[in-house]
Amino acid sequence: MVSRILLSSFNNNKLASTYLFYGADGRGKWAVAIGLAALVNCEEPIKDNSGKVADSCGNCRNCRQIENLIFPELHFAVPITTHKNEDEANDLVRGYLNLKAENPYRIINSGPQIVAAANDFRHKMPQIPNGKKIKDIAIAQQLTIPIELAREIKRKTAIRPYGGTKRIIIFYQMEKMLQSSADALLKLIEEPPPETIIVITAVDPDALLPTIKSRSQRIRFRPISDSIIAQYLFERHNVESEKASFLARLSEGSIGQAVLFIEDGDMSSFRQTAFLLFKSIFARETSSAMAAFSDLINPMDKSESEQLLNYWQSFLGDLIRIKSGMPQSGILNIDLGKELENLAGKIASAADFSAMLGYIKRMNQALRRNIHIRIGMIALLLGLRQYINQNP
Amino acid sequence: MKFNLSKSRLSGYLQSVLQVVPSKSALPVLSNILFEALEDKLKISATDLEVSITATFDCAVSKKGSAVLPARYVAEIIRELPESEISFDGTSSRVEMKVPNGSYKIACFPADDFPKLPMVNTKKQINVDAADLVSMIRRTTFACSVDETRPALNGVLWSTKGDMMSMVATDGHRLAKVSVENKKLKGMSEDIIVPPKVLNIIPKFADESNGEIGIIFGENNVIFNLGDVILSSRLIEGPYPNYEQVIPAENDKRMVISKSDLAGAVRRVSILSNTLTHQVKFNIKNNSLTISTTNADVGGEARETLSCDYTGEGVELGYNANYVTDILAKIDGEEVIFELTNAISAGVIYSPSIPKDNFLCLVMPLRLAD
């Protein structure tokens, strides 16, 4: 998959040396980056009637190696869990890549998932004397791109690429790289070596260093249309068309989110937790709402809290739609329709809705600044509760 | 794929190829060896993506094909086998090694996953005297930097100009430069930076290549044609710093001294030197060199005086003892010449038996505490 912008730049020989792909997770930033790597390295690209390249062939040796993420000139820096040594870091990266090779839209934000994939990789490769299993991690750790990966990429770029190939470096979820590591990469990003294209991805470009933003050509990944997502779910995951349409609507333009719903069991258990917590905002007693928060929120897991807030935004959006009299068919969380209708009655005005949305957005920004999660979430709860009318 | 060959024949080439297989790698396929059965020949290859090696040799092939086999398993099985004929038979997904008392079956990696190795175009090949090349390598690679913040210094600058070929390596503290004449360069002019890893493998094959080594300078890689074995390496991005400006044109002080006496004294005195700086002090005056060190950490002091042939004013310099002994180990002959200016300028070290233009080393002094 290659975006039209990139294809046109490629055909006009005007590809930039550094790209910044931004937009919510699961909208195809990874898939497009891999598509770009295949496009520039394909041995027999598909051409249209006018002789311009329309896509990579997907069959040549380079295309297949790129699709399997084993192309020698495709380098990655991805967020992983803490690790004991370089071997473990390499295997965690390979585990991450294997998850992505299975499904390029998959959203990976759980440490245990990466550790399990890395152990699976070790298990399947007995000829690699890697030793024992990587220890499972008990709590969902915050993922970071370690500085060793940044250094390794710098080292690799000091060597000239294989003849006849273009080197692609993907810094995936760059906001998860420590600033000191990002500083070390500034020169590389500003002046990539010859025959090299750097792709940086981020959910929010404002979370990156201004120097990185200013040195890259930005491409925004907008929400994917519900029909495309539904078709994807139907074709790739054998989801029946009615359910596919429902999941597509719920995933708000993110194929990755829709895939999460499928992989996470029936209608995502985490979404149900998120809705339970959302309902507790409306609870009569503050103490019972706070108890639910203490029990259900993992104070160590930033990505889980971010996901929780995304669900809340989606629930609150539906409340606004219900309040404004939109028909049932217009709401996203259609399976929760009845309960949402009850909750919508507890908020008095449109101004209150927008104030609540503002609170959630500010909390999302605060999470990126590494605030204390539990205190932040309780402050958010108290902030939101002031708009709830307990006796409508 | 089907072929037969003796254990000893395969084992020799396998050992050569194994030198390049990385002990750990982010790409699992690199822990494997590519076997390609061609018409009457077997070709085995390995790569760590920086250096690649291919050995091609005669073999009784009954069915052509290729397979990617795990290096560790194949090497261990072959090593443990008694001398016998081994028959390889299989497809690209599974290979059976038949030996007189049984058989070993191994699953293979998909051959397409193996990185493409550089093409060898012998039309561009130039030939270099093997002894010359090995001597250039031995005299320079030791000075390469290991600091990854300046990648160009991690390699050896290999230049050809007119009939001259030179190699330079430096880590900013010391430098080694060696030049030889080669009439076969055909007037080519190239400047490439070669990682020391591939250069350090070449001496192991040099004797087997009939006195000459074929070299192909590519845009992104350099290929060494050693007959049965082809070695190639990707190059390091330049530019290489302008090293010539640090080689002093004129030095007014000159010391000629016995190489073995100096090396021995420096090694002994440095035992008590600071473990971080390895600093030893050279005090040279009136045809005598006093090497000394003090180490407050262990309360140690050492001093040895050697006689030398010295012209110029007396001078006191600090050196990293390891740098001096490394250089002395590369210099031929019984005597060595030091050309010096002052306590902060580079000292030039060379052998009286080889012209300075053909081989010189440079060492930067350490600043002495007042």
Side-chain angles (χ1 to χ4, degrees), chain A residues 43 61 64-65 70 72-73 87 94 121 125-129 155 157-163 167 193-194, chain B residues 24 26-28 31-32 47 49-50 70 72-73 109 111-116 148 151 219-220 234-237:
Chain A
E43 292 167 340
R61 184 190 181 118
R64 273 178 286 148
Q65 288 190 352
I70 53 166
E73 284 301 354
D87 270 357
R94 196 31 69 183
F121 163 68
M125 301 290 161
Q127 64 264 54
I128 305 168
R155 201 186 69 78
T157 53
I159 305 270
R160 291 200 184 159
Y162 259 73
R167 177 192 282 145
Chain B
K24 55 187 179 187
L27 275 186
S31 309
N32 294 262
T47 178
L49 294 183
E50 183 181 304
R72 186 173 142 232
Y73 288 163
F109 250 76
D112 260 8
D113 285 3
F114 202 82
K116 218 191 293 181
E148 290 181 354
E219 196 182 329
N220 293 318
R234 286 157 77 184
L235 302 175
I236 298 176
E237 287 286 353

Side-chain angles (χ1 to χ4, degrees), chain A residues 14-74:
Chain A
K14 283 187 176 162
L15 279 175
S17 55
T18 307
Y19 284 100
L20 168 57
F21 292 177
Y22 69 98
D25 280 338
R27 287 187 189 166
K29 300 189 291 293
W30 179 280
V32 172
I34 300 301
L36 175 63
L39 181 71
V40 296
N41 284 301
C42 180
E43 292 167 340
E44 291 160 9
I46 299 166
K47 295 191 174 166
D48 61 16
N49 294 338
S50 62
K52 286 188 171 173
V53 171
D55 206 346
S56 51
C57 71
N59 289 321
C60 69
R61 184 190 181 118
N62 287 355
C63 280
R64 273 178 286 148
Q65 288 190 352
I66 288 167
E67 194 188 338
N68 293 327
L69 309 181
I70 53 166
F71 186 61
E73 284 301 354
L74 188 54

Side-chain angles (χ1 to χ4, degrees), chain A residues 137-198:
Chain A
I137 45 173
I139 49 163
Q141 260 183 28
Q142 199 166 312
L143 306 178
T144 51
I145 301 179
I147 191 153
E148 299 96 294
L149 291 187
R151 286 203 195 111
E152 179 66 8
I153 282 181
K154 271 187 85 174
R155 201 186 69 78
K156 283 175 181 162
T157 53
I159 305 270
R160 291 200 184 159
Y162 259 73
T165 57
K166 272 217 182 244
R167 177 192 282 145
I168 307 283
I169 304 170
I170 300 175
F171 291 104
Y172 193 62
Q173 299 186 335
M174 185 80 167
E175 63 268 54
K176 290 184 179 164
M177 183 181 274
L178 296 176
Q179 187 171 332
S180 53
S181 316
D183 284 342
L185 290 168
L186 279 181
K187 193 171 178 298
L188 174 70
I189 291 168
E190 185 177 20
E191 285 176 61
E195 304 298 312
T196 301
I197 297 175
I198 295 177

Side-chain angles (χ1 to χ4, degrees), chain A residues 3 5-6 19-23 29 217-221:
Chain A
S3 80
I5 304 171
L6 292 171
Y19 284 100
L20 168 57
F21 292 177
Y22 69 98
K29 300 189 291 293
Q217 185 174 322
R218 296 195 210 185
I219 297 185
R220 182 176 167 195
F221 282 66

Side-chain angles (χ1 to χ4, degrees), chain B residues 88-104:
Chain B
F88 283 72
D89 188 357
T91 61
S92 59
S93 58
R94 196 167 171 84
V95 164
E96 183 178 10
M97 293 158 63
K98 288 181 191 150
V99 295
N101 294 334
S103 76
Y104 297 81

